[in-house]
Amino acid sequence: MLFQIITEREERASVAIATNLPFSEWGTVFPDPRLVAAIVDRVTFNAHIIETGTKSYRLRTSRTTTRTKRGT
């Protein structure tokens, strides 16, 4: 079902996907290796892939905000 949604959406407009897993680990989420290959193929075709690194932006921001609030 997810593959159908991605396929239908990408034919009409942009698709944005955020994940903390590299493509090589998507098999841990989707049990069918052929489905994983099809989804990755569909998602990466004409894609702009932005890697932000392995550290969580949200966690870092939360910690910074918490420290800032405590310091004021």
Side-chain angles (χ1 to χ4, degrees):
M1 188 164 174
L2 178 62
F3 180 73
Q4 289 174 321
I5 292 168
I6 291 171
T7 300
E8 290 174 17
R9 174 67 183 176
E10 67 90 20
E11 290 175 353
R12 289 183 268 149
S14 298
V15 176
I17 298 174
T19 178
N20 60 348
L21 293 177
F23 293 126
S24 61
E25 293 181 25
W26 280 26
T28 62
V29 177
F30 304 104
D32 182 355
R34 289 177 46 193
L35 177 62
V36 173
I39 290 173
V40 170
D41 182 61
R42 186 70 63 176
V43 167
T44 58
F45 182 71
N46 287 329
H48 296 281
I49 300 173
I50 302 169
E51 293 186 54
T52 60
T54 58
K55 300 197 181 202
S56 170
Y57 168 79
R58 289 185 188 100
L59 180 59
R60 182 171 32 95
T61 302
S62 275
R63 287 180 178 164
T64 303
T65 303
T66 302
R67 286 185 196 136
T68 305
K69 287 180 181 176
R70 287 183 190 162
T72 53

